[in-house]
């Protein structure tokens, strides 16, 4: 996953209006995004825990929170907004996915002079735990009304991103869960999975994007708080990076090829809000796409083994010359030999041993007179092979051993009499005595 810097997030969300709707988990999403737009540091545990404060990192509390009464009932309200020269981020606290308050928020949004570019929304835990027992039917109906109303309010250029609810622990002690339902806390995980299934299916049916946070954090129990519902600063920074990566992919923005680095990936970061995050250098980005940060040259990887030295070309040897085929003693050659040597005249006749020694000068001969060889002697093309008589090959006849008894197995399928008869027939006959002439 790409780890974006604060400068890169500011450039990605330049002149954008981001609207976040949801419960306390989505409020932490809002806080981490506001912090990331200003500096490269993580939230502190106190910033994650507190709610309804008058100001957080140069934002303002518009309505609800500490301006009103602080409680955990379903009519709790909190509206926050961060506005800079080129960024606008707003948050509305919801206790139900669709009710009168959500309708009022959408109508106000429609009448506002600014239309949102991104809508990030989720509402699940309050819906399945604080209302009627048949929660799933009412939850599905409210989801349909919400997405239909969103189609009427937001323009087509707006990116609506539905977040699935994050996994909860086996033991839940969150403030949203009433005391009379504490014994049903162990069933909350199954309810969340069921609600995520219907909400994601409904969002896709209306053409909205879905980010499955339950899947991404299903094995991140170490990042969850002790109450079983909320998450620490590392989880929220990872969540923000997932959201920004999805937004960049939806807008066709190429992100730098950089992975998580250092302490942010390994464990919690100790220190105040001004502590920086160790990051890896940026590499592998096209300079024509206006990079967000200066590029560093890619590392030069050395080979594990030394490269082989260039091999010299092998010498090209001429094909070996086949030895001449001697003539059969019973057949005379059908051609006349015409030597191309100046030392030998054309009317000179060779004997049979001189004919062989002419082709094989290394063979000593007693009658080798009248000619010699030089070092630059070259052989001409090979002469045609004379027709020899077909050679007969001797083949061994098959060996037949007579007089040996057959090896018969005795069993239930061989009759004893037939076996004795076969043995008698195959037994060798005794030698007959020669009759005397007397």
């Amino acid at each position: 996953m790409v780890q974006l810097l604060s400068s890169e997030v500011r450039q990605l969300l330049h002149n954008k209006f981001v609207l976040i709707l949801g419960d306390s988990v989505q409020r932490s999403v809002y806080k981490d995004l506001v912090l990331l737009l200003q500096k490269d540091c993580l939230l502190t545990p106190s910033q994650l825990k507190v709610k309804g404060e008058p100001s957080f990192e140069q934002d303002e509390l518009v309505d609800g929170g500490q301006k009103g009464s602080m409680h955990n009932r379903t009519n709790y309200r909190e509206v926050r907004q961060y506005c800079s020269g080129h960024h606008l981020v707003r948050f509305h606290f919801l206790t139900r996915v669709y009710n009168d308050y959500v309708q009022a928020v959408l109508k106000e949004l429609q009448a506002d002079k600014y239309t949102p570019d991104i809508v990030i929304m989720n509402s699940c835990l309050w819906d399945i735990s604080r209302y009627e027992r048949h929660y799933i039917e009412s939850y599905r109906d409210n989801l349909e009304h919400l997405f239909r109303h969103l189609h009427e309010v937001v323009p087509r250029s707006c990116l609506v991103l539905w977040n699935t609810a994050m996994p909860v622990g086996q033991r839940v002690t969150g403030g949203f869960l009433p005391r009379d339902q504490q014994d049903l806390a162990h069933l909350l995980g199954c309810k969340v999975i069921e609600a995520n299934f219907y909400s994601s299916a409904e969002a896709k049916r209306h053409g909205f994007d879905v980010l499955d946070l339950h899947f991404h954090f299903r094995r991140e129990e170490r990042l969850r708080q002790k109450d079983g519902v909320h998450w620490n600063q590392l989880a929220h920074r990872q969540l923000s990076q997932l959201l920004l990566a999805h937004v960049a992919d939806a807008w066709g923005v190429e992100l730098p090829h950089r992975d998580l680095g250092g302490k942010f990936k390994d464990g919690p970061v100790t220190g105040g809000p001004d502590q920086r995050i160790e990051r890896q250098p940026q590499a592998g980005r096209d300079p024509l796409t206006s990079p967000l940060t200066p590029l560093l040259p890619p590392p030069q990887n050395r080979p594990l083994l030394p490269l082989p030295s260039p091999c010299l070309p092998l010498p090209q040897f001429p094909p070996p010359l086949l030895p001449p085929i001697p003539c059969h003693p019973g057949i005379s050659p059908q051609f006349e030999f015409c030597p191309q040597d100046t030392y030998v005249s054309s009317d000179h006749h060779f004997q049979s041993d001189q004919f062989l020694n002419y082709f094989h000068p290394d063979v000593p001969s007693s009658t080798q007179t009248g000619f010699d060889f030089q070092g630059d002697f070259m052989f001409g093309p090979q002469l045609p092979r004379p027709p020899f008589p077909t050679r007969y090959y001797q083949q061994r006849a098959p060996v037949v051993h007579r007089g040996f008894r057959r090896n018969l197995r005795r069993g239930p399928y061989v009759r004893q009499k037939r076996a004795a008869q076969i043995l008698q027939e195959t037994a060798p006959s005794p030698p007959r005595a020669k009759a005397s002439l007397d």
Side-chain angles (χ1 to χ4, degrees):
M1 183 181 65
V2 178
Q3 173 71 14
L4 296 179
L5 301 176
S6 178
S7 59
E8 297 168 345
V9 176
R10 287 194 296 268
Q11 184 173 351
L12 178 65
L13 301 179
H14 186 75
N15 290 339
K16 302 299 181 182
F17 176 19
V18 183
L19 177 63
I20 301 177
L21 307 174
D23 51 8
S24 57
V25 177
Q26 303 303 312
R27 177 175 56 203
S28 299
V29 173
Y30 161 82
K31 288 185 176 182
D32 190 77
L33 183 59
V34 169
L35 182 62
L36 189 56
L37 282 171
Q38 303 178 56
K39 48 190 173 181
D40 292 317
C41 62
L42 298 176
L43 295 169
T44 61
S46 60
Q47 290 175 337
L48 287 171
K49 188 176 181 180
V50 69
K51 67 176 184 179
E53 64 271 29
S55 178
F56 164 78
E57 295 293 337
Q58 302 182 12
D59 79 331
E60 59 176 342
L61 179 63
V62 178
D63 188 17
Q66 295 184 5
K67 289 185 176 182
S69 59
M70 301 293 294
H71 55 82
N72 289 328
R73 295 189 295 270
T74 56
N75 57 350
Y76 176 76
R77 300 290 181 262
E78 182 179 352
V79 182
R80 313 193 67 88
Q81 179 174 294
Y82 169 77
C83 183
S84 64
H86 300 281
H87 305 92
L88 176 60
V89 185
R90 187 180 300 171
F91 168 73
H92 288 267
F93 187 89
L94 303 182
T95 59
R96 200 165 192 179
V97 66
Y98 192 77
N99 53 11
D100 296 338
Y101 177 71
V102 177
Q103 296 180 22
V105 170
L106 296 180
K107 290 180 180 180
E108 180 184 356
L109 187 65
Q110 190 175 10
D112 197 351
K113 60 179 180 179
Y114 299 110
T115 58
D117 299 285
I118 306 173
V119 176
I120 302 173
M121 186 175 181
N122 173 259
S123 180
C124 179
L125 294 179
W126 289 73
D127 295 79
I128 64 178
S129 61
R130 297 295 294 269
Y131 296 97
E132 60 271 6
R133 293 184 178 181
H134 303 286
Y135 64 92
I136 198 65
E137 289 80 4
S138 61
Y139 186 62
R140 295 180 64 180
D141 293 339
N142 292 333
L143 284 171
E144 184 177 359
H145 295 317
L146 170 68
F147 294 140
R148 188 181 304 169
H149 199 169
L150 281 174
H151 270 297
E152 300 174 358
V153 172
V154 299
R156 296 186 61 181
S157 60
C158 178
L159 176 62
V160 178
L161 183 57
W162 175 264
N163 292 339
T164 60
M166 303 179 70
V168 297
Q170 296 293 335
R171 185 173 178 269
V172 178
T173 59
F176 72 94
L177 195 64
R179 295 181 179 180
D180 56 348
Q181 296 185 9
Q182 291 292 335
D183 55 342
L184 300 178
H186 65 281
L187 299 177
L188 191 62
C190 298
K191 294 181 179 180
V192 167
I193 296 177
E194 184 181 10
N196 286 337
F197 171 77
Y198 288 111
S199 63
S200 60
E202 194 69 24
K204 292 179 180 179
R205 192 172 68 88
H206 286 80
F208 297 138
D209 290 11
V210 177
L211 181 60
D212 195 354
L213 297 180
H214 193 282
F215 172 79
H216 287 286
F217 291 90
R218 69 192 187 281
R219 300 186 184 277
E220 301 292 343
E221 295 86 358
R222 61 184 182 88
L223 303 180
R224 189 166 47 217
Q225 301 286 0
K226 295 182 179 179
D227 59 358
V229 176
H230 299 92
W231 300 76
N232 63 5
Q233 63 270 27
L234 293 174
H236 280 285
R237 179 51 54 88
Q238 183 178 354
L239 197 158
S240 299
Q241 299 295 339
L242 289 172
L243 288 172
L244 294 172
H246 188 96
V247 170
D249 183 68
W251 289 348
V253 178
E254 182 184 359
L255 296 179
H257 301 283
R258 184 175 56 249
D259 199 356
L260 294 174
K263 300 178 182 179
F264 176 76
K265 186 176 180 180
D266 297 335
V269 179
T270 58
D274 295 334
Q275 184 164 355
R276 300 285 178 174
I277 303 173
E278 295 182 2
R279 304 180 187 276
Q280 297 180 357
Q282 181 177 355
R285 186 172 173 84
D286 190 0
L288 299 178
T289 57
S290 63
L292 303 177
T293 56
L295 298 178
L296 296 178
Q300 299 294 336
N301 297 328
R302 299 180 60 185
L304 297 179
L305 297 177
L307 296 177
S309 59
C311 299
L312 297 177
L314 296 177
Q316 300 293 334
F317 296 101
L321 298 176
L322 297 177
I325 303 175
C327 296
H328 194 271
I331 300 178
S332 61
Q334 302 295 330
F335 56 88
E336 294 183 359
F337 180 74
C338 298
Q340 299 178 1
D341 203 328
T342 57
Y343 292 95
V344 181
S345 60
S346 59
D347 57 350
H348 183 80
H349 298 280
F350 294 95
Q351 301 297 329
S352 61
D353 55 348
Q354 293 179 355
F355 178 77
L356 295 177
N357 294 334
Y358 186 80
F359 282 92
H360 298 276
D362 54 343
V363 179
S365 177
S366 59
T367 60
Q368 188 175 8
T369 58
F371 63 94
D372 58 353
F373 293 93
Q374 295 182 357
D376 56 350
F377 181 80
M378 298 296 294
F379 294 100
Q382 190 174 357
L383 301 176
R385 184 175 180 179
F388 293 142
T390 305
R391 183 176 297 179
Y392 297 95
Y393 297 94
Q394 296 181 357
Q395 298 182 358
R396 294 184 179 180
V399 179
V400 180
H401 300 278
R402 303 180 182 275
F404 292 92
R405 298 183 180 182
R406 296 176 60 183
N407 186 13
L408 298 178
R409 297 182 180 180
R410 296 185 179 183
Y413 302 101
V414 181
R415 295 183 179 181
Q416 299 294 335
K417 295 183 178 179
R418 180 59 181 168
Q421 183 180 359
I422 294 175
L423 291 176
Q424 185 178 1
E425 293 177 357
T426 57
S429 59
R432 297 182 179 179
K434 295 182 179 181
S436 59
L437 298 176
D438 300 335

